[in-house]
Amino acid sequence: MFEIFQRYISDQITLSAEEYELIKSVCIFKKLRKRQYLLQDGDVWKYNAFVCKGCLRNYRVDENGGEHIMGFSKECWWTGDRESLLTGKPSVNNIDALEDAEVILITKPSFELLCAQIPAFNDLINSILNKSFIASQNRIHSAISFTAEQKYRNFMDKYPDLTYRVPQHMIASFLGMTPETLSRVRKEVAKK
């Protein structure tokens, strides 16, 4: 599992063998079965999590029991609840596996140690956080500005493999539409 994480890092920055050993020494390896939770609403999130295998979803449940998917995380993506991690407050999110998955968890103190002792790793993390912020801004913009068809086309363009890995009702939730609307949009897109 660590080899996947190491390859991800080495594709972006150059580290020494000692630095990789330090990173490996703080990694917690976790396997999840399909539908198994990584985080449940009410728990405090204490990790930075890197997905080595599988696909997870991050979602909230409203007072009526409706699920609202905030995002998906697949291989070589990060997941977690940043608000809970930074504040120490219980999470309002759930994260579970849509497929059997393998993740690397690094506790907050260990992650801070890595960032302090490995400047290139710290720079990589800052770059990832900046990209994540930009992606969040773009997601908000599309949610409030795009038509249902534009939202779906945007999803297909950005995440073509997720279109086939994630159930359609979950894609609908992520896009902020009903499954019926998504079905209609998919038929319209297929005709064009």
Side-chain angles (χ1 to χ4, degrees), residues 64-126:
N64 299 319
E67 293 180 0
H68 303 277
I69 297 178
M70 310 299 288
F72 301 103
S73 301
K74 61 178 187 160
E75 295 84 3
C76 295
W77 287 12
W78 295 84
T79 191
D81 182 339
R82 192 131 186 93
E83 181 179 7
S84 180
L85 179 70
L86 295 176
T87 65
K89 294 179 180 176
S91 179
V92 295
N93 295 333
N94 296 284
I95 301 173
D96 66 4
L98 299 178
E99 308 166 345
D100 289 347
E102 297 177 1
V103 297
I104 290 177
L105 304 173
I106 304 173
T107 64
K108 183 181 178 191
S110 293
F111 203 79
E112 290 170 349
L113 173 82
L114 294 178
C115 288
Q117 292 192 1
I118 308 172
F121 185 79
N122 186 59
D123 292 344
L124 172 62
I125 297 307
N126 284 331

Side-chain angles (χ1 to χ4, degrees), residues 6 49 61-62 78 89 146-148 156 165 170:
Q6 184 172 348
V61 179
D62 66 26
W78 295 84
K89 294 179 180 176
F146 287 9
T147 65
M156 287 191 329
R165 292 174 73 177
M170 291 184 187

Side-chain angles (χ1 to χ4, degrees), residues 13 19 30 34 53 65 67 93 114 116 135 165 173 178 185:
I13 58 174
E19 290 169 325
K30 184 165 182 69
K34 184 177 180 177
K53 176 185 171 195
E67 293 180 0
N93 295 333
L114 294 178
R165 292 174 73 177
S173 173
T178 64
V185 166

